[in-house]
């Protein structure tokens, strides 16, 4: 099985650090950035990314705005996007899926659940 490449987008470097270390230990290749704008630039240049873990609540551009823009990038329309949010409010999952996310997970991230999601792509 080839290594999956994951882009982690979160405005909190502690979350990035934890996710990168966890995923690398499970043989995933990881890239990371601190903003949705930066993620869009990366995705415009790199079509080898299999999945994006998108923090939904970020300043400037949030995940709800970013996901449709990701899906609009040529060669990225099939990139698997996992919405990650600390705001586990009623209706959040549906709102994330309507924005174009392929899966949803809340913080603190259940690592086993995240790995299950990523192994299915």
């Amino acid at each position: 099985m080839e290594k999956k490449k994951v882009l982690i987008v979160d405005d909190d470097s502690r979350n990035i650090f934890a996710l990168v270390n966890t995923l690398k230990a499970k043989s995933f290749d990881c890239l990371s950035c601190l903003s949705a704008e930066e993620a869009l630039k990366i995705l415009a240049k790199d079509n080898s990314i299999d999945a994006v873990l998108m923090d939904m609540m970020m300043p400037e551009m949030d995940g709800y705005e970013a996901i449709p823009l990701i899906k609009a990038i040529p060669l990225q329309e099939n990139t698997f996007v996992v919405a990650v949010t600390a705001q586990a409010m009623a209706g959040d999952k549906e709102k994330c899926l309507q924005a174009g996310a392929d899966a949803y997970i809340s913080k603190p991230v259940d690592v086993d659940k995240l790995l299950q999601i990523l192994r299915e792509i």
Side-chain angles (χ1 to χ4, degrees):
M1 183 173 92
E2 69 182 62
K3 275 189 171 183
K4 301 282 186 188
K5 190 172 188 180
V6 179
L7 174 61
I8 301 164
V9 186
D10 198 309
D11 62 328
D12 187 332
S13 58
R14 296 168 298 183
N15 292 334
I16 289 174
F17 179 80
L19 286 168
V20 165
N21 286 325
T22 299
L23 293 176
K24 280 190 174 187
K26 299 294 183 182
S27 298
F28 286 87
D29 283 334
C30 297
L31 297 172
S32 63
C33 61
L34 295 167
S35 71
E37 294 87 351
E38 191 176 348
L40 290 168
K41 290 177 186 173
I42 291 168
L43 290 162
K45 296 177 188 171
D46 188 344
N47 68 350
S48 69
I49 295 169
D50 298 296
V52 176
L53 301 184
M54 176 63 68
D55 181 16
M56 298 306 287
M57 297 302 190
M58 292 186 290
E60 296 177 35
M61 181 186 298
D62 65 21
Y64 298 105
E65 297 171 83
I67 293 171
L69 295 174
I70 289 169
K71 298 287 187 167
I73 295 171
L75 302 176
Q76 298 296 354
E77 60 271 359
N78 295 319
T79 299
F80 196 86
V81 179
V82 180
V84 183
T85 183
Q87 302 290 327
M89 308 285 285
D92 273 358
K93 181 177 182 179
E94 292 75 21
K95 187 176 175 186
C96 292
L97 296 175
Q98 286 174 352
D102 299 292
Y104 169 91
I105 195 163
S106 61
K107 294 179 187 175
V109 172
D110 177 332
V111 173
D112 291 332
K113 183 176 179 182
L114 177 60
L115 291 173
Q116 181 181 3
I117 291 168
L118 292 175
R119 285 191 177 117
E120 292 177 5
I121 61 171

